[in-house]
Amino acid sequence: MSEALQLDVNGERHMVFVDADTPLLTVLRNDLALNGPKYGCGLGECGACMVLVDGAAARSCVLPASAVTGRRITTLEGLAPPGQMHAVQRGFVEGQGAQCGYCLNGMIIRIAALLDAVPDPSDIEIREALRHNLCRCGAHLEILDSVRAAIRIAKDDRA
């Protein structure tokens, strides 16, 4: 049974009419036309669907939309102001951290959350943060290079 849910997504309030248990990913993609988060596995295991919920990385394919009412949701599209890129996005461009790009959303979201919590993470912290994000193309070394570039870019932005 559909109900009205108010969601705060990328700084804008949206009223959607969906079943309470509808996955947030479905609402983001189908109702709000935000295609950064990807449908990968539908089981919360691959990380392609990641978004930030109150600044923490969350898997939107297994998160009911009703669970995030009143919380701040940020998708890939909302990481930076329109026409700009977040430091992590710029790092992934510089480090060429994508092949097919399907995992990219989850990688960028996860690293954005990490850098908010730990501005200068070690390689061990980076690998730990990304250990549940799957990349099937094998761009793992480029992803790590991209994260290191993002750390440098974020430091330069703060200076």
Side-chain angles (χ1 to χ4, degrees):
M1 175 173 218
S2 291
E3 59 182 83
L5 299 177
Q6 185 172 322
L7 301 177
D8 176 359
V9 181
N10 298 332
E12 295 181 20
R13 290 193 177 170
H14 299 272
M15 186 67 69
V16 295
F17 297 88
V18 297
D19 291 343
D21 61 349
T22 300
L24 176 60
L25 177 63
T26 301
V27 173
L28 294 172
R29 291 181 63 83
N30 295 354
D31 296 293
L32 302 183
L34 295 169
N35 294 313
K38 303 290 186 240
Y39 182 90
C41 66
L43 301 170
E45 294 181 5
C46 74
C49 66
M50 290 231 162
V51 298
L52 297 174
V53 178
D54 294 335
R59 296 167 190 274
S60 65
C61 73
V62 293
L63 187 61
S66 60
V68 294
T69 59
R71 299 178 74 187
R72 192 178 78 253
I73 303 159
T74 306
T75 67
L76 187 67
E77 295 89 346
L79 281 179
Q84 297 180 33
M85 288 194 297
H86 187 277
V88 178
Q89 292 168 311
R90 294 188 341 242
F92 271 77
V93 170
E94 182 178 310
Q96 299 180 8
Q99 284 187 33
C100 82
Y102 211 79
C103 71
L104 202 57
N105 172 77
M107 299 284 183
I108 289 172
I109 292 291
R110 176 66 81 180
I111 294 302
L114 173 65
L115 295 186
D116 269 353
V118 183
D120 193 11
S122 68
D123 280 357
I124 291 171
E125 290 169 311
I126 294 166
R127 288 174 185 270
E128 178 63 24
L130 291 175
R131 73 185 179 112
H132 293 296
N133 287 70
L134 303 180
C135 171
R136 291 170 180 89
C137 297
H140 300 103
L141 295 177
E142 291 83 2
I143 289 167
L144 292 174
D145 289 344
S146 297
V147 174
R148 291 181 195 109
I151 292 166
R152 181 185 40 75
I153 290 167
K155 283 181 187 176
D156 291 348
D157 286 353
R158 288 190 301 270

